[in-house]
Amino acid sequence: MKEYSTDMIRNIALVSHATTGKTSLAEAMLYSSKQINRMGSIDDGTTASDYHEDEIDRKFSISTSLIHCLWNDKKINIVDTPGYSDFIGEAVGALGVVETAVILINAVAGVEVGTESIYKLAEKNKNSCVFFINLCDREHSSFENAVSSIQESYGAGAIPVQIAVNCGEGFNKIIDLLRMKLLTFDDNGKATASNIPGDLQDQAEAARESFIEAVAETDDALMEKFFEEGTLQTEDLKTGLQKGIEESKIYPILVGAATKAIGSEQLLEFVAEYCPTPTKNAEAVGTNSNGEGEVKFPATKEGSLSAQVFKTVSEQHLGELTYLRVFSGEMHSSTEVFNSSRNKAEKIGQLYVMSGKKRTDVPALAAGDIGAAVKLKDTHTGNTLCLKSNQILLPPIDFPDPVIRTAIEAKTKGEEEKIATGLSTLHEEDPTFIVTVDPELHQTILSGQGELHLDVIVRKLTEKYGTEV
Ligand SMILES: Nc1nc2c(ncn2[C@@H]2O[C@H](COP(=O)(O)OP(=O)(O)O)[C@@H](O)[C@H]2O)c(=O)[nH]1
Ligand SMILES: [Mg+2]
């Protein structure tokens, strides 16, 4: 596979309230970019992103997965997160390694409880945000209501760059307000562009004007031009939009129907064209490995190596898979690095770029890229990797504290130790649950993010370690 330089990479996380279509949208983007030639579905358990047995059985995502699309000359890394609040820790990890949060909105329900918590995380993380109104083909869906709901919650900087024309069953038309064209989609999600018909022209022109005004308002020089000329020229609009998104002054709103691949190609195009590059933060900032002083490396290939592990998962027949983002420098396969969180040398063997469970070998990952390594010995979720000769400790991932607890007991006497080992390994994969022992009651206590979360952990314990509690 071709090596992608930092400026050719875009990183997005798909986040939202549960069952808004994130995994389906990831699938649609793979399809639109011709990485796959048939779309899998949630109902058949055939998507690239939800490939764990537990996810196929339950028909929803439990674990973050990483896919990538090649779009024109760009590589777009897509981190698909689970939507249930039980797995909010996955979104915390994901948002920390991407520049842009693509927040999916249900075209029937508008902003939901889960949207609010995800938005707060993205805001805290200073992610750029793009809204994608999905499910536009559902009965009772409404573009206008969804947009009002987004603007009520997040202000007038949330502005449509597309209009969903015929929401509801049979949805197949989008107006692109950047090019001022009507897009009509066929059954394979392929769009044909045509002139905007007369009866939609007023609506389209008014929406484009609001959009241009919103972009002008983000910058004094643009505002001046806008007042003088009554509009913005294409080039000013483009750079104004890029800057507005980067600085979180503009939250563009796009639309679609993921399961029909409507809008997925346009989303890829938009991300490639307007969303920030991995140098949005010009430097990787951390401390020395004692947690003292400030250490900064340029977020480019020329900087010294820094990378963070945002997820580890043990896969059958493979061992532990370590997902990491390179923040500065370059990571090469078959090299020695230093785990500054644990003060230990670590050997990097093969490096991969991922598409769900499919791995592709790469010789190196450039600053800004996201990929995976296998069989690291002492490296766990949240750890920093750097060079021994030039150390940095990146800020830890701020995982949420557990909210519920339950006592567990071995089903078979004598398996206590096996259970303790299993739980300790699972905790290293997923720091959002913890295991403690109540000294008075001599009970093992499992604390996590919700019943579903604990249920998933207990099932993993059985599957991977063959012990029941
Ligand atoms: N009609 C329709 N169904 C969708 C669309 N997107 C997702 N779905 C369905 O909604 C359910 C949840 O989708 P999923 O991708 O798992 O959502 P996630 O939980 O956000 O990842 C599945 O049954 C999908 O087939 C869409 O645009 N239109
Ligand atoms: Mg999902």
Side-chain angles (χ1 to χ4, degrees):
M1 173 163 167
K2 186 179 153 193
E3 254 185 80
Y4 283 84
S5 58
T6 305
D7 56 330
M8 291 301 163
I9 295 168
R10 301 290 182 277
N11 297 312
I12 65 173
L14 303 178
V15 286
S16 75
H17 191 84
T19 66
T20 315
K22 297 175 291 295
T23 302
S24 305
L25 184 59
E27 190 75 6
M29 287 195 274
L30 283 173
Y31 177 72
S32 298
S33 62
K34 302 196 169 61
Q35 248 77 358
I36 54 174
N37 46 31
R38 231 187 116 236
M39 259 177 78
S41 79
I42 299 291
D43 293 333
D44 299 341
T46 48
T47 62
S49 180
D50 279 2
Y51 63 88
H52 287 111
E53 212 173 289
D54 219 5
E55 299 180 305
I56 293 171
D57 286 356
R58 295 180 198 248
K59 297 196 195 300
F60 58 77
S61 315
I62 290 169
S63 179
T64 294
S65 57
L66 175 63
I67 64 170
H68 68 275
C69 293
L70 307 177
W71 186 256
N72 296 337
D73 48 354
K74 310 245 167 56
K75 175 174 183 239
I76 301 179
N77 291 315
I78 302 170
V79 190
D80 177 28
T81 66
Y84 286 101
S85 62
D86 290 68
F87 309 112
I88 190 84
E90 301 278 324
V92 173
L95 288 172
V97 297
V98 299
E99 283 64 43
T100 305
V102 174
I103 305 177
L104 279 78
I105 300 289
N106 180 327
V108 182
V111 171
E112 299 170 270
V113 188
T115 324
E116 301 279 4
S117 33
I118 282 297
Y119 176 81
K120 280 194 197 121
L121 280 180
E123 195 181 28
K124 184 169 154 218
N125 237 344
K126 301 195 169 66
N127 291 114
S128 295
C129 293
V130 170
F131 287 102
F132 185 86
I133 302 177
N134 190 38
L135 303 153
C136 286
D137 61 332
R138 284 245 169 110
E139 207 189 338
H140 306 305
S141 60
S142 159
F143 170 72
E144 285 76 18
N145 292 352
V147 170
S148 310
S149 157
I150 297 170
Q151 289 179 334
E152 257 166 47
S153 298
Y154 309 114
I159 191 83
V161 296
Q162 296 174 343
I163 296 174
V165 175
N166 55 340
C167 274
E169 237 177 279
F171 167 69
N172 68 342
K173 288 183 197 304
I174 293 177
I175 294 175
D176 174 348
L177 295 171
L178 283 155
R179 295 189 179 84
M180 283 307 261
K181 288 283 177 199
L182 176 75
L183 304 177
T184 304
F185 293 82
D186 69 12
D187 292 347
N188 298 315
K190 202 77 216 130
T192 310
S194 58
N195 290 332
I196 298 171
D199 59 328
L200 293 172
Q201 250 164 26
D202 287 352
Q203 188 195 0
E205 265 158 32
R208 180 171 162 93
E209 204 155 303
S210 303
F211 156 60
I212 293 177
E213 199 172 337
V215 172
E217 273 171 10
T218 61
D219 183 281
D220 288 347
L222 286 182
M223 201 59 198
E224 222 166 276
K225 282 192 189 171
F226 180 71
F227 270 130
E228 272 168 24
E229 298 171 25
T231 188
L232 291 179
Q233 299 305 319
T234 312
E235 204 43 39
D236 282 339
L237 188 59
K238 182 173 176 179
T239 50
L241 180 55
Q242 284 169 334
K243 192 155 162 272
I245 294 172
E246 175 151 2
E247 294 172 353
S248 295
K249 291 176 178 163
I250 293 282
Y251 304 148
I253 301 176
L254 286 80
V255 301
T259 40
K260 302 206 163 86
I262 298 180
S264 44
E265 178 174 333
Q266 290 65 30
L267 176 63
L268 282 169
E269 177 82 36
F270 189 87
V271 168
E273 197 82 352
Y274 298 103
C275 287
T277 70
T279 52
K280 180 180 181 209
N281 295 317
E283 289 169 313
V285 182
T287 60
N288 68 25
S289 44
N290 300 325
E292 293 157 5
E294 196 177 55
V295 180
K296 289 181 177 180
F297 296 156
T300 57
K301 193 175 161 181
E302 287 70 37
S304 188
L305 173 69
S306 70
Q308 187 166 46
V309 173
F310 64 100
K311 181 173 178 65
T312 51
V313 55
S314 61
E315 299 275 1
Q316 263 180 346
H317 315 300
L318 181 68
E320 193 161 81
L321 191 61
T322 303
Y323 288 87
L324 49 88
R325 146 107 192 214
V326 180
F327 281 93
S328 59
E330 210 171 16
M331 184 175 273
H332 297 270
S333 60
S334 315
T335 48
E336 188 158 282
V337 295
F338 188 72
N339 181 330
S340 53
S341 309
R342 295 181 161 241
N343 266 312
K344 280 188 175 148
E346 183 69 82
K347 176 111 175 55
I348 301 284
Q350 193 53 61
L351 282 175
Y352 300 100
V353 293
M354 306 293 297
S355 254
K357 67 178 169 196
K358 187 171 150 235
R359 287 168 288 133
T360 309
D361 293 17
V362 287
L365 293 171
D369 212 347
I370 304 178
V374 283
K375 300 191 174 64
L376 301 192
K377 274 213 291 303
D378 268 314
T379 297
H380 301 291
T381 304
N383 291 176
T384 302
L385 298 173
C386 58
L387 298 179
K388 191 163 189 198
S389 56
N390 203 7
Q391 296 181 18
I392 186 171
L393 183 63
L394 296 171
I397 302 172
D398 191 10
F399 287 115
D401 292 328
V403 292
I404 69 159
R405 39 189 277 146
T406 183
I408 54 162
E409 202 175 290
K411 273 215 175 122
T412 318
K413 276 264 168 281
E415 290 207 332
E416 288 77 9
E417 202 158 310
K418 204 165 153 192
I419 289 171
T421 313
L423 286 174
S424 143
T425 310
L426 287 173
H427 166 73
E428 280 170 345
E429 284 179 14
D430 173 6
T432 66
F433 89 90
I434 49 176
V435 192
T436 46
V437 176
D438 186 316
E440 274 159 35
L441 300 171
H442 300 287
Q443 269 182 334
T444 301
I445 309 287
L446 211 54
S447 316
Q449 303 297 321
E451 271 179 41
L452 185 56
H453 186 212
L454 296 181
D455 192 43
V456 165
I457 288 158
V458 167
R459 182 162 157 179
K460 275 190 193 161
L461 194 63
T462 310
E463 271 170 16
K464 290 185 177 156
Y465 302 94
T467 99
E468 284 194 57
V469 295

